[in-house]
C-alpha cells in the first residue's frame, strides 16, 4: 500500500467566531499521524478547474473561482467566499485525485480532507464546495483507467450530492449509511440507502455495514472511494447516533479487510466530525488511517 497521505490544512479558511465548521481538526489530525511515523504526509496538489468541470457545471466552477457565485449558493455552502477558501477547496479535490492515483498504483490512497459529498453538479451545500469523490471517479474514467466505481459513504449525513451526480450512471454504485432524521432533510436516491434511527449503537450499525459489503463486491468496482466521516460518534454536535470509538474502529477495519480480500483499490477521504472536545474527532479520524495501516 501507499504510505502517502495528502493534507490541505495549511490553507486556512477565514471564518467568523463561533462557526460550526471544525477547521482545527485537520491540523490536529495531521499532527497525530505525523507522530505515528507510518505515513509520509504531503501537501495536496491543486486540482485543475477543467478536471473539476467533469463533475460540475462550468458556470458554477467559474463563479466559485472568481467570487461571482450567487450569494444564495454561498449561504447554502455555509462558508464566506475568500481566496483562501478557493485554494483550500482546490487542494481538497487535488488530494483526492492524487490519492486515487496512489490507490490504482498500490491499492491504497488517502486524503486528510475531501469527502465533500453534499456538493451537487451546479451548487454546493453543507460545507461542501466541489464533490471530490465525483471528480476523482470521472477523471479516472476520462483517462480510461477505470470503468466501474463504488462509493461507500459512512458519514452520518447522506451523501446526497454524490447520489445526485451519479443518479443516472449505471457504472457507479453509491452506498450511503446515514441518520434518517438528520441533514439533508430532503434525501436523494443513492443506489443503496440505509437510514438509521437516532441513537443507533455499535451492534446494529456494524451489522448494517456488514450487510452492504457483499453488494459492493457483486458490483465489481475497479476502485472504491470511502467517505469515512466520524460524526456518528456519540456526543457529536451534528450527529444523532451513539457509536463508540471502538465501534468506529471496527467499522473501518471491516471496510479495509473487505477491500483487501476483494482486491479493490481504496481511496480514503475524511468527511464530517464535530465532537467536542475537538481532539476526540481528530483521534477518531486518525484511527481510520491507523486501521488502514494495520490491515493493508
Amino acid at each position: 500500500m501507499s504510505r502517502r497521505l495528502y493534507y490541505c490544512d495549511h490553507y486556512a479558511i477565514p471564518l467568523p467566531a463561533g462557526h460550526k465548521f471544525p477547521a482545527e481538526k485537520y491540523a490536529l489530525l495531521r499532527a497525530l499521524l505525523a507522530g505515528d511515523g507510518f505515513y509520509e504526509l504531503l501537501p495536496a496538489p491543486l486540482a485543475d478547474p477543467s478536471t473539476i468541470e467533469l463533475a460540475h457545471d462550468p458556470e458554477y466552477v467559474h463563479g466559485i473561482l472568481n467570487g461571482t457565485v450567487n450569494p444564495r449558493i454561498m449561504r447554502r455552502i455555509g462558508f464566506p467566499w475568500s481566496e483562501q477558501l478557493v485554494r483550500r477547496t482546490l487542494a481538497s479535490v487535488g488530494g483526492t485525485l492524487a490519492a486515487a492515483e496512489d490507490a490504482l498504483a498500490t491499492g491504497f490512497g488517502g486524503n486528510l480532507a475531501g469527502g465533500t459529498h453534499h456538493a451537487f453538479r451546479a451548487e454546493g451545500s453543507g460545507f461542501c464546495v466541489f464533490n471530490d469523490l465525483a471528480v476523482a471517479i470521472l477523471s479516472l474514467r476520462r483517462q480510461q483507467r477505470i470503468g466501474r466505481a463504488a462509493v461507500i459513504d459512512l458519514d452520518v449525513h447522506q451523501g446526497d450530492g454524490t447520489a445526485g451526480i451519479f443518479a443516472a450512471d449505471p457504472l457507479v454504485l453509491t452506498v450511503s449509511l446515514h441518520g434518517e432524521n438528520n441533514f439533508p432533510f430532503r434525501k436523494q436516491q443513492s443506489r443503496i440507502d440505509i437510514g438509521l434511527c437516532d441513537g443507533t449503537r455499535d451492534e446494529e450499525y456494524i451489522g448494517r455495514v456488514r450487510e452492504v459489503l457483499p453488494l459492493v463486491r457483486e458490483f465489481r468496482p475497479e476502485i472504491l472511494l470511502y467517505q469515512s466521516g466520524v460524526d456518528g460518534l456519540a456526543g457529536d454536535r451534528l450527529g444523532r447516533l451513539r457509536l463508540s470509538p471502538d465501534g468506529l474502529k471496527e467499522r473501518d477495519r471491516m471496510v479495509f479487510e473487505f477491500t483487501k480480500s476483494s482486491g479493490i483499490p481504496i481511496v480514503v477521504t475524511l468527511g464530517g466530525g464535530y465532537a467536542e472536545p475537538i481532539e476526540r474527532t481528530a483521534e477518531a479520524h486518525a484511527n481510520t488511517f491507523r486501521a488502514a495501516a494495520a490491515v493493508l
Side-chain angles (χ1 to χ4, degrees):
M1 63 174 283
S2 167
R3 292 179 60 171
R4 290 189 294 208
L5 298 175
Y6 299 92
Y7 64 86
C8 63
D9 59 83
H10 55 306
Y11 295 114
I13 313 172
L15 296 174
H19 197 281
K20 288 183 179 179
F21 186 69
E24 302 88 353
K25 78 174 183 180
Y26 297 91
L28 286 172
L29 170 60
R30 175 155 63 112
L32 287 172
L33 294 173
D36 289 348
F38 184 80
Y39 290 104
E40 179 186 7
L41 303 172
L42 301 172
L46 301 183
D48 189 293
S50 65
T51 303
I52 294 172
E53 289 174 9
L54 295 172
H56 292 286
D57 181 87
E59 184 176 344
Y60 171 58
V61 175
H62 296 161
I64 289 291
L65 296 182
N66 60 31
T68 59
V69 68
N70 190 312
R72 175 190 63 81
I73 292 178
M74 289 310 302
R75 284 195 297 272
R76 192 168 179 209
I77 290 170
F79 293 135
W81 186 89
S82 65
E83 291 184 0
Q84 296 97 311
L85 175 65
V86 171
R87 285 194 290 273
R88 186 192 186 281
T89 298
L90 293 176
S92 181
V93 177
T96 298
L97 289 167
E101 293 287 336
D102 289 344
L104 289 184
T106 75
F108 170 85
N111 183 12
L112 302 184
T116 44
H117 59 168
H118 297 311
F120 288 80
R121 176 162 174 77
E123 64 178 3
S125 175
F127 305 149
C128 300
V129 181
F130 299 138
N131 193 311
D132 60 300
L133 305 163
V135 172
I137 289 170
L138 294 172
S139 175
L140 292 176
R141 249 185 21 207
R142 180 181 64 174
Q143 301 170 55
Q144 299 183 324
R145 310 274 298 285
I146 63 162
R148 304 165 75 83
V151 178
I152 290 185
D153 192 325
L154 299 187
D155 194 285
V156 81
H157 305 108
Q158 192 208 31
D160 56 338
T162 313
I165 289 171
F166 291 118
D169 192 331
L171 296 178
V172 179
L173 177 69
T174 51
V175 180
S176 181
L177 277 74
H178 52 265
E180 185 61 35
N181 300 317
N182 210 328
F183 178 90
F185 300 108
R186 185 206 232 152
K187 303 289 192 288
Q188 300 295 313
Q189 185 67 55
S190 309
R191 204 74 72 218
I192 299 172
D193 279 305
I194 295 181
L196 302 165
C197 296
D198 290 1
T200 294
R201 295 176 181 266
D202 292 351
E203 185 176 359
E204 180 186 352
Y205 183 80
I206 293 300
R208 302 311 294 269
V209 175
R210 188 175 287 116
E211 283 175 25
V212 303
L213 294 178
L215 303 177
V216 176
R217 183 181 282 117
E218 287 174 16
F219 186 75
R220 303 189 315 279
E222 293 156 79
I223 196 166
L224 175 66
L225 284 92
Y226 178 28
Q227 208 277 19
S228 63
V230 298
D231 39 10
L233 193 63
D236 188 278
R237 286 181 297 134
L238 301 184
R240 297 177 181 174
L241 307 187
R242 300 194 64 183
L243 306 181
S244 71
D246 285 343
L248 288 175
K249 289 179 188 178
E250 175 65 11
R251 174 198 77 170
D252 294 332
R253 185 192 62 77
M254 284 173 54
V255 170
F256 294 129
E257 289 189 345
F258 163 75
T259 59
K260 182 179 182 180
S261 65
S262 304
I264 304 170
I266 186 169
V267 178
V268 183
T269 67
L270 248 56
Y274 310 90
E276 293 178 333
I278 201 166
E279 287 79 9
R280 286 185 69 219
T281 293
E283 186 72 20
H285 280 306
N287 286 336
T288 297
F289 293 96
R290 291 164 179 161
V295 172
L296 300 176

